[in-house]
Amino acid sequence: MFELWMTLIPILIADVVNPVLFAFLVYAAGTNRPVVNSCAVLLGHTLAYFGAGVVIAIGIESISNRLSNPQQIDYIIGFVIGVILLWVGFLSWKTEKKEQAEESRTLTLLSAVGLGAIVNFMGLPFALPYFAALDQILKADLTPMTSLTVLAGYNVLYAVPFALVPVLSATSGQKSQEILRKINDWLVGISNFVMPILLVLVGLALIVDSMIYFVTGYEMF
């Protein structure tokens, strides 16, 4: 289990550098109920992320069960994800991400949760590390309940840094808006530099891990 988390933590770091989610949280913090709505957006995103992970994992396992060597398919999937991460990482260096300030609007609790869920389908490159994390969890050959627990723990750890938005909104009130905008601008700026590097590193690690398994029959992670 310790070895699995040692592999998941670097992937989690790459996954957390997500300016898309943070931008929507900042937007929610500027609405009529900043704390409630930003919490609802984060909750909606976390639940949808976890649910999508379960569905994807079940799909991968279904494919694996149809093949004679389920262990091998995990490495094939990891290799494909690694190649995609490399491609997106190189592509990201050529793409500038722009964020626009949003005016304060009104959100209901239900629409805020829905907004958080919808964010999962935006910014596909930022979700790719999640596929890598799912692949590592499946490769660990854990019991179904343990796998769900690890996946839930991953999603909770993912949500922790973004909880800064409702916490700042609750403690600083209107003053938090300027702080959050500065953090958002910084995150967008640093993601333009850090995200491609993290995607490439994770992609290379998955490809190397897969190649070592194909050549030697042993796993690196």
Side-chain angles (χ1 to χ4, degrees):
M1 183 67 71
F2 177 77
E3 291 79 5
L4 174 59
W5 278 108
M6 288 297 292
T7 304
L8 289 178
I9 292 301
I11 297 175
L12 176 64
I13 294 173
D15 205 5
V16 165
V17 184
N18 187 341
V20 177
L21 175 57
F22 196 85
F24 275 92
L25 287 172
V26 172
Y27 165 79
T31 59
N32 54 320
R33 295 179 297 180
V35 178
V36 173
N37 287 338
S38 56
C39 284
V41 169
L42 184 57
L43 176 63
H45 182 278
T46 302
L47 292 177
Y49 217 26
F50 177 74
V54 172
V55 171
I56 293 168
I58 292 174
I60 292 175
E61 279 298 297
S62 298
I63 295 173
S64 298
N65 291 334
R66 288 176 179 269
L67 301 177
S68 59
N69 192 344
Q71 185 69 18
Q72 187 177 27
I73 188 62
D74 289 332
Y75 283 92
I76 293 174
I77 292 170
F79 181 84
V80 172
I81 294 174
V83 172
I84 295 174
L85 284 170
L86 282 181
W87 177 69
V88 173
F90 285 121
L91 205 63
S92 297
W93 266 307
K94 300 179 181 180
T95 305
E96 292 186 2
K97 305 173 183 65
K98 298 180 180 179
E99 301 292 335
Q100 295 180 345
E102 298 283 350
E103 295 180 359
S104 179
R105 298 179 181 179
T106 299
L107 276 178
T108 64
L109 182 61
L110 185 60
S111 63
V113 173
L115 180 62
I118 291 171
V119 172
N120 279 284
F121 303 101
M122 304 179 64
L124 179 60
F126 302 105
L128 286 173
Y130 195 47
F131 288 90
L134 289 172
D135 183 61
Q136 295 300 313
I137 293 173
L138 290 175
K139 280 196 322 186
D141 197 24
L142 306 172
T143 65
M145 184 57 65
T146 303
S147 297
L148 286 175
T149 301
V150 172
L151 183 60
Y154 180 96
N155 279 269
V156 170
L157 290 175
Y158 177 90
V160 168
F162 296 101
L164 173 68
V165 176
V167 169
L168 273 178
S169 298
T171 56
S172 302
Q174 192 62 31
K175 294 180 181 178
S176 65
Q177 290 300 304
E178 184 62 29
I179 299 173
L180 290 174
R181 288 194 183 94
K182 288 182 179 179
I183 295 176
N184 187 48
D185 292 340
W186 174 81
L187 183 60
V188 171
I190 197 172
S191 68
N192 289 335
F193 174 74
V194 174
M195 176 59 79
I197 295 176
L198 292 175
L199 291 176
V200 168
L201 289 177
V202 172
L204 284 174
L206 290 175
I207 291 174
V208 171
D209 185 31
S210 301
M211 294 305 296
I212 289 176
Y213 176 78
F214 293 146
V215 173
T216 68
Y218 295 97
E219 59 185 56
M220 181 176 71
F221 301 123

